[in-house]
């Protein structure tokens, strides 16, 4: 910015220029040997398949604010950059491309498919990183990692082998989330619940001795073919006597023992539960407790297996269910059938209904790893904000279950496991000898992600980055991956680095669409951050998202982005004004001398201290609101007006603007750099090592004096506005404030068009103030009849509002039952309108 600066800031022109300048400066590349205190954040690595969405935009804005804050404070900062290979998502994308070419991965073969996957990654894999640059994110792009690069892959293989040698990793048949579309086990994150209306059927299972029947309920009648027991709650008096007896499975004839188990909900259906261990997580656990066999009747392709007999074999599960109901009806054991709406798991990737299946997979027993990770949160080495998420973490960790590590995919970290007959070898290298075949499966993506805070810094090599930047300072992430990622990083960090991977976990808001629905392209509710940046600029989007952020989910607000755009404009105009007045920066700090200078310096000292606390507490909306009001309302709307009136010094105004730009820079980096760069004597803003430098300390006397001036000016402006008086009308003012603050006549004249006189003006109206009162009248006198009419209208409105408030407070039910804050708000309203009524009555009397 120069004195000939354009009248408007143009983000589309300035942003690419500053992105390149930050890259060229070398400031984004961390130097572990600098000797400065290290401060690191590891980005939650976005999927290589991903494009920037509003959740990314908010989360990465938050991280960039923290990174810029600590960089300006003089720390050696590293924002770890990289992307995740996203096993299932990437494989699905490449498979769709192959389908469009008329082929598939099976026809191509594993090696050729992987070549195509790497080609896709090279073409599209860093798209989201480019979008983060556009947002203004200052990651260490020179060290960009990928969770399948050679060094990272070495770390992953080493951890798997080490955990196997320690006895934590094993192979077993266990119930998993099975995606028939992908033909793979999937994690909980790839499962989404959808509301489905199925038929809830009640089926009579005859008691073995012919003395009666027990009726069970199910929404999946096809799974009854795999039943191996019936379970009832031992405290349910309806079935207590049946425990230990047996019944017969219709259509199949299998003998089913009746067992008692407290997991059975007596309130659901008939209260008797058909137990299908191979196809229900709850039934699987019941079977383990009662040593029941498991019969798998649905296969990995989602069709019925040979276990069900020729009538059902090979049918899709849903079709088999319909045929089972027909046969039950024909056999006379169908007791009821009615619609039932419930939540059903579906694969987020393939769209297929998830089948709980018993499958031979590789698992990790997490209990021993979980114990020190639980202690780390309990003793405060890892803190959650908001803190309620810490308890959620602890509840899950205390009930941690085996982790299914293997995935039936080709894209990912292949298991370092080889088989030869019954022999199993786990190691970094293929074993010697003939006949060894490598396991075709790959690791769950979250296994490699769990190593991110230290593997991204060079582990297992002895890297200088590890010494300086591990543990990292903070993690900002979403609540849905606390278990899948955050907890596992804590476990792996303690196991392999001997320390937690971060000290703070900030759980940010979920950004919803403006109508409260989730943002989704398929629903038409998505808002593209790139489009918002193109329209309003990255600074406006960043600021708007910070204003929206909360401890709760938030609706995206175009109005908040608009506030950010207004602040950009206001700040730009402030910079132009200060330059026009001859302000410079970079020299010795000028001492604030005028009351206006002292007041603004005091307000900024307050803002700096509050901003430090807000940043330390991850209160980003509070931070944005604070700087908005200090910059927009106090500096621009009041202080600069006083500068125009000659009540402030240009050099002080420039020094205060320097402080404001440094304070605001982490939130709005582009416009602050652009203004700063054009100020005489300025050097690069991003590398200023004093974001919290205050020009002066708090000045209570100056704040009292300026608060009084602002109150008086506001009252005078309202007086003129209510009466339709133009500024040229000229107000005559007499202040009655014995012992109170003085009002500078030039300031009153400049800000309110009011001249201070030595005696009460004729026909004056009384304006009550907190420190006295103003008696004011237009220089040319007042139309008393019109004024009386105006006051009478205002008095009637005040009396009506007071009456309404008094009626509400006289309502005993409201006072006793309404929340205390609502009752107190109503009392304050009554007091306010009572004060207005009394003042208006006095004013009306003075007009008589």
């Amino acid at each position: 910015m120069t004195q000939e600066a354009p009248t408007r800031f143009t983000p589309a022109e300035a942003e690419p220029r500053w992105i390149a300048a930050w890259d060229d400066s070398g400031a984004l590349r961390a130097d572990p040997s600098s000797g400065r205190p290290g401060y690191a954040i590891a980005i939650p690595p976005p999927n290589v398949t991903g494009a920037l969405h509003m959740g990314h935009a908010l989360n990465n804005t938050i991280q960039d604010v923290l990174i810029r804050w600590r960089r300006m404070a003089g720390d050696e900062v590293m924002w770890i950059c990289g992307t995740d290979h996203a096993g299932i998502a990437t494989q699905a994308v490449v498979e769709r491309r192959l389908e469009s070419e008329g082929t598939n991965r099976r026809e191509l073969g594993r090696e050729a498919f992987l070549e195509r996957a790497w080609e896709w990654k090279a073409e599209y894999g860093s798209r989201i990183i480019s979008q983060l640059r556009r947002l203004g994110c200052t990651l260490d792009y020179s060290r960009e990692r990928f969770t399948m690069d050679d060094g990272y892959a070495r770390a992953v293989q080493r951890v798997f082998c080490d955990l196997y040698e320690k006895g934590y990793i094993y192979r077993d048949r266990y119930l998993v989330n099975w995606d028939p579309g992908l033909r793979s086990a999937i994690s909980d994150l790839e499962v989404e619940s959808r509301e489905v209306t199925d038929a809830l059927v009640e089926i009579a299972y005859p008691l073995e001795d012919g003395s009666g029947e027990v009726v069970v309920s199910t929404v999946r009648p096809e799974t009854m073919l795999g039943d191996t027991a019936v379970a009832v709650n031992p405290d349910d008096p309806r079935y207590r006597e049946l425990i230990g007896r047996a019944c017969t499975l219709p259509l199949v004839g299998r003998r089913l023992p009746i067992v008692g188990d407290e997991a059975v909900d007596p309130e659901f259906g008939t209260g008797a539960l058909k137990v299908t261990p191979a196809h229900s997580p709850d039934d699987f656990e019941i079977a383990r407790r009662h040593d029941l066999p498991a019969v798998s009747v649905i296969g990995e392709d989602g069709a019925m297996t040979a276990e069900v007999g020729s009538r059902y074999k090979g049918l899709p599960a849903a079709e088999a269910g319909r045929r089972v109901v027909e046969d039950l009806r024909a056999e006379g054991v169908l007791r009821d059938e009615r619609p039932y709406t419930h939540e059903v798991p579906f694969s987020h990737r393939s769209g297929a209904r998830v089948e709980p299946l018993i499958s031979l997979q590789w698992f990790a027993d997490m209990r021993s790893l979980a114990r020190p990770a639980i202690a780390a949160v309990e003793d405060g080495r890892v803190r959650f904000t908001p803190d309620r998420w810490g308890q959620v973490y602890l509840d899950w960790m205390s009930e941690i279950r085996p982790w299914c590590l293997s995935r039936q995919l080709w894209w990912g970290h292949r298991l370092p496991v080889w088989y030869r007959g019954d022999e199993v070898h786990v190691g970094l290298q293929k074993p010697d000898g003939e006949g060894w075949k490598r396991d075709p499966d790959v690791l769950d993506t979250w296994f490699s992600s769990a190593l991110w805070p230290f593997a991204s810094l060079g582990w297992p090599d002895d890297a200088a980055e590890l010494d300086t930047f591990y543990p990292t300072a903070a993690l900002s992430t979403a609540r849905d991956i606390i278990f899948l990622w955050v907890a596992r990083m804590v476990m792996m960090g303690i196991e392999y680095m001997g320390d937690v991977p971060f000290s703070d976990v900030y759980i940010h808001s979920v950004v919803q669409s403006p109508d409260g629905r989730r943002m989704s392209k398929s629903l038409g509710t998505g808002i593209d951050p790139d489009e918002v940046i193109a329209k309003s600029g990255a600074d406006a989007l960043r600021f708007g998202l910070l204003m929206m952020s909360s401890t709760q989910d938030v609706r995206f607000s175009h109005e908040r982005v608009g506030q950010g755009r207004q602040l950009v404009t206001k700040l730009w105009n402030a910079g132009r004004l200060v330059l026009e007045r001859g302000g410079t920066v970079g020299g010795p700090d000028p001492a604030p001398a005028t009351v206006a200078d002292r007041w603004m310096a005091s307000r900024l000292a307050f803002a700096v201290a509050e901003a430090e606390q807000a940043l330390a507490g991850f209160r980003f909306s509070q931070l944005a609101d604070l700087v908005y009001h200090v910059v927009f309302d106090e500096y621009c709307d009041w202080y600069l007006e006083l500068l125009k009136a000659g009540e402030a010094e240009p050099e002080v105004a420039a020094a205060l603007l320097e402080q404001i730009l440094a304070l605001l820079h982490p939130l709005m980096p582009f416009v602050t750099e652009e203004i700063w760069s054009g100020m005489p004597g300025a050097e690069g803003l991003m590398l200023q090592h004093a974001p919290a430098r205050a020009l002066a300390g708090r000045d209570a006397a100056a704040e009292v004096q300026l608060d009084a001036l602002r109150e008086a000016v506001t009252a005078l402006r309202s007086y003129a506005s209510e009466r339709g008086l133009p500024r040229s009308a000229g107000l005559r003012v007499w202040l009655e404030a014995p012992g109170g603050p003085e009002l500078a006549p030039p300031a009153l004249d400049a800000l309110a068009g009011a001249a201070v006189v030595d005696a009460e003006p004729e026909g004056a109206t009384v304006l009550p103030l907190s420190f006295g009162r103003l008696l004011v009248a237009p220089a040319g006198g007042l139309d008393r009849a019109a004024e009386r009419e105006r006051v009478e209208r205002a008095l009637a409105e005040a009396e009506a509002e007071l009456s309404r408030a008094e009626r509400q407070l006289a309502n005993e039910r409201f006072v006793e039952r309404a929340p205390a804050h609502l009752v107190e708000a109503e009392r304050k309203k009554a007091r306010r309108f009572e004060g207005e009524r009394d003042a208006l009555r006095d004013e009306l009397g003075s007009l008589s």
Side-chain angles (χ1 to χ4, degrees):
M1 172 177 278
T2 65
Q3 291 189 6
E4 295 76 33
T7 57
R8 285 188 172 189
F9 173 68
T10 308
E13 186 278 325
E15 289 170 358
R17 182 159 37 80
W18 282 110
I19 291 168
W22 294 329
D23 278 349
D24 294 343
S25 72
L28 309 192
R29 180 172 177 80
D31 179 4
S33 63
S34 69
R36 292 195 293 268
Y39 181 92
I41 291 177
I43 188 175
N47 291 351
V48 288
T49 58
L52 193 71
H53 57 62
M54 280 301 171
H56 291 133
L58 170 62
N59 190 14
N60 286 282
T61 295
I62 285 169
Q63 293 172 73
D64 194 51
V65 168
L66 294 171
I67 285 290
R68 288 178 182 272
W69 172 45
R70 296 316 307 166
R71 185 186 288 120
M72 295 176 75
D75 290 351
E76 188 61 50
V77 165
M78 185 180 201
W79 189 2
I80 301 169
C81 176
T83 52
D84 192 280
H85 66 277
I88 290 177
T90 303
Q91 179 151 327
V93 168
V94 176
E95 288 203 50
R96 283 197 296 271
R97 174 175 281 196
L98 294 176
E99 288 172 11
S100 71
E101 298 172 3
T103 185
N104 59 60
R105 68 178 171 118
R106 304 284 178 190
E107 291 181 0
L108 217 58
R110 184 170 193 137
E111 295 307 315
F113 174 82
L114 290 175
E115 286 180 14
R116 293 294 301 271
W118 280 105
E119 288 172 7
W120 186 93
K121 189 265 177 187
E123 186 175 354
Y124 296 105
S126 289
R127 175 178 53 171
I128 196 166
I129 297 297
S130 299
Q131 291 176 306
L132 290 175
R133 285 180 184 269
R134 190 179 184 193
L135 187 63
C137 295
T138 50
L139 293 112
D140 188 343
Y141 297 106
S142 68
R143 287 185 172 92
E144 182 179 337
R145 298 300 303 270
F146 177 54
T147 56
M148 276 177 59
D149 65 36
D150 290 343
Y152 205 100
R154 191 156 42 88
V156 172
Q157 301 285 309
R158 177 165 170 173
V159 168
F160 183 93
C161 294
D162 180 68
L163 291 176
Y164 176 80
E165 290 169 5
K166 290 174 177 175
Y168 297 147
I169 288 181
Y170 59 95
R171 198 178 189 214
D172 194 8
R173 296 183 63 81
Y174 202 84
L175 203 72
V176 298
N177 294 321
W178 186 264
D179 181 346
L182 290 172
R183 302 283 185 95
S184 174
I186 59 175
S187 73
D188 290 341
L189 192 67
E190 277 87 39
V191 178
E192 62 182 18
S193 292
R194 300 181 196 167
E195 196 172 83
V196 171
T197 299
D198 284 320
L200 178 67
V201 297
E202 294 184 358
I203 310 165
Y205 286 17
L207 293 175
E208 185 181 44
D209 60 9
S211 62
E213 62 186 29
V214 58
V215 179
V216 301
S217 302
T218 182
V219 292
R220 301 205 66 189
E222 67 275 15
T223 64
M224 68 165 285
L225 303 172
D227 286 1
T228 57
V230 169
V232 297
N233 193 299
D235 294 327
D236 190 336
R238 295 173 296 174
Y239 301 114
R240 191 179 294 130
E241 299 301 320
L242 295 180
I243 297 173
R245 298 170 64 182
C247 58
T248 302
L249 180 63
L251 306 183
V252 177
R254 185 182 300 131
R255 180 182 186 274
L256 305 180
I258 301 173
V259 300
D261 198 286
E262 293 179 350
V264 178
D265 180 4
E267 301 300 320
F268 177 76
T270 64
L273 176 73
K274 55 184 286 301
V275 180
T276 318
H279 301 290
S280 164
D282 294 332
D283 294 6
F284 183 82
E285 295 300 330
I286 290 174
R288 288 206 159 193
R289 288 193 289 272
H290 297 276
D291 197 25
L292 300 172
V295 178
S296 295
V297 297
I298 300 174
E300 294 180 352
D301 59 356
M304 305 304 287
T305 69
E307 291 281 356
V308 300
S310 59
R311 177 163 172 75
Y312 309 109
K313 178 185 175 183
L315 289 177
E319 175 58 30
R322 288 189 287 271
R323 188 171 292 188
V324 165
V325 171
E326 292 172 5
D327 294 346
L328 291 170
R329 186 178 288 110
E331 195 169 295
V333 292
L334 186 67
R335 294 291 177 262
D336 191 23
E337 183 179 8
R338 60 184 183 274
Y340 179 71
T341 301
H342 61 134
E343 296 288 320
V344 173
F346 284 82
S347 167
H348 175 65
R349 299 299 178 187
S350 73
R353 184 167 181 160
V354 171
E355 292 289 353
L357 295 185
I358 293 176
S359 179
L360 181 60
Q361 303 281 351
W362 285 90
F363 294 89
D365 184 344
M366 306 303 293
R367 289 172 298 181
S368 295
L369 295 171
R371 282 191 283 272
I374 289 170
V377 171
E378 288 179 335
D379 64 24
R381 283 176 290 145
V382 175
R383 300 176 294 272
F384 279 81
T385 303
D387 59 8
R388 66 178 182 274
W389 294 111
Q391 190 58 52
V392 171
Y393 166 101
L394 291 171
D395 290 344
W396 183 79
M397 291 286 273
S398 65
E399 301 292 332
I400 198 164
R401 299 174 68 171
W403 178 7
C404 178
L405 299 177
S406 44
R407 296 289 182 268
Q408 289 62 55
L409 303 172
W410 287 352
W411 175 251
H413 294 277
R414 195 168 178 180
L415 298 177
V417 178
W418 285 262
Y419 308 103
R420 184 170 65 180
D422 292 335
E423 292 181 86
V424 178
H425 173 79
V426 176
L428 297 176
Q429 302 294 331
K430 179 181 177 180
D432 295 332
E434 299 295 324
W436 289 99
K437 291 187 177 180
R438 190 169 184 178
D439 195 310
D441 291 352
V442 300
L443 281 163
D444 177 12
T445 297
W446 295 102
F447 186 88
S448 52
S449 299
L451 318 183
W452 182 247
F454 55 92
S456 61
L457 292 172
W459 188 92
D461 296 333
D462 187 16
E465 288 84 353
L466 281 168
D467 294 334
T468 304
F469 300 115
Y470 189 94
T472 64
L475 173 75
S476 177
T477 190
R479 63 173 182 259
D480 58 352
I481 53 176
I482 290 175
F483 315 137
L484 292 163
W485 191 44
V486 177
R488 289 165 177 171
M489 282 192 290
V490 176
M491 287 187 274
M492 293 299 188
I494 293 173
E495 180 72 12
Y496 288 99
M497 296 298 295
D499 199 356
V500 296
F502 31 71
S503 53
D504 284 287
V505 180
Y506 175 67
I507 305 299
H508 64 73
S509 311
V510 172
V511 184
Q512 301 169 334
S513 65
D515 63 5
R517 291 183 291 168
R518 70 181 178 89
M519 283 201 180
S520 164
K521 281 186 178 179
S522 60
L523 294 175
T525 56
I527 297 174
D528 186 348
D530 277 349
E531 293 179 3
V532 179
I533 291 172
K535 179 181 178 182
S536 302
D539 285 331
L541 176 60
R542 289 168 61 111
F543 192 84
L545 287 169
L546 292 169
M547 287 283 274
M548 292 173 222
S549 66
S550 162
T551 58
Q552 307 293 330
D553 292 348
V554 295
R555 297 184 179 192
F556 183 80
S557 168
H558 291 285
E559 290 75 18
R560 291 296 195 188
V561 176
Q563 277 186 284
R565 193 167 60 246
Q566 291 167 3
L567 184 56
V568 167
T569 301
K570 200 82 166 178
L571 197 62
W572 183 257
N573 291 336
R576 293 178 65 234
L577 174 64
V578 170
L579 276 175
E580 289 169 2
R581 300 282 163 161
T584 62
V585 296
D589 287 338
T594 72
V595 172
D597 289 336
R598 289 165 47 214
W599 169 73
M600 194 65 242
S602 180
R603 295 305 300 151
L604 278 172
F606 164 78
V608 164
E610 289 292 303
E612 287 277 351
Q613 291 184 23
L615 281 164
F618 304 101
R619 297 189 299 273
F620 297 100
S621 59
Q622 179 183 326
L623 171 68
D625 187 65
L626 168 77
V627 298
Y628 181 87
H629 288 294
V630 168
V631 176
F632 199 106
D633 297 339
E634 296 180 335
Y635 184 79
C636 295
D637 281 356
W638 286 99
Y639 177 73
L640 292 184
E641 291 303 307
L642 290 165
L643 174 66
K644 293 177 188 176
E647 294 293 305
E649 294 297 327
E651 289 301 318
V652 176
L656 293 170
L657 179 61
E658 176 185 352
Q659 185 182 339
I660 282 173
L661 294 174
L663 179 65
L664 194 53
H665 176 74
L667 290 73
M668 306 178 89
F670 293 105
V671 69
T672 51
E673 282 277 24
E674 188 75 357
I675 295 171
W676 180 276
S677 67
M679 298 185 72
E683 297 179 2
L685 176 56
M686 189 173 71
L687 297 180
Q688 289 296 306
H689 290 171
R693 180 183 59 81
L695 192 61
R698 297 298 299 274
D699 188 328
E703 290 202 31
V704 168
Q705 216 163 339
L706 253 294
D707 286 348
L709 175 65
R710 294 169 71 197
E711 184 182 356
V713 168
T714 300
L716 290 167
R717 287 173 175 173
S718 296
Y719 170 88
S721 175
E722 289 167 2
R723 291 157 181 80
L725 297 174
R727 190 175 179 86
S728 59
L731 302 179
R732 297 291 179 264
V733 175
W734 185 41
L735 173 65
E736 285 185 354
E742 296 180 2
L743 299 180
L748 281 178
D749 186 26
L751 301 181
V756 177
V757 294
D758 296 331
E760 179 180 342
E762 184 179 351
T765 297
V766 176
L767 303 181
L769 304 171
S770 62
F771 57 90
R773 61 181 194 158
L774 285 173
L775 290 91
V776 58
L782 198 63
D783 183 336
R784 298 177 71 84
E787 181 66 0
R788 182 181 180 87
E789 184 180 337
R790 186 196 66 79
V791 174
E792 286 174 343
R793 278 198 310 272
L795 177 59
E797 290 173 5
E799 288 175 335
E801 289 294 334
L802 176 60
S803 177
R804 194 205 63 77
E806 288 176 337
R807 283 198 305 274
Q808 185 78 318
L809 291 169
N811 183 338
E812 292 182 3
R813 293 185 62 184
F814 169 75
V815 174
E816 291 173 1
R817 299 184 182 183
H821 72 278
L822 293 181
V823 176
E824 181 56 29
E826 201 66 27
R827 286 176 177 144
K828 287 181 178 178
K829 191 186 299 181
R831 290 193 292 271
R832 177 163 61 85
F833 284 119
E834 184 177 21
E836 286 187 19
R837 179 202 62 187
D838 293 345
L840 288 164
R841 282 177 176 175
D842 290 344
E843 190 175 350
L844 192 60
S846 71
L847 290 167
S848 300

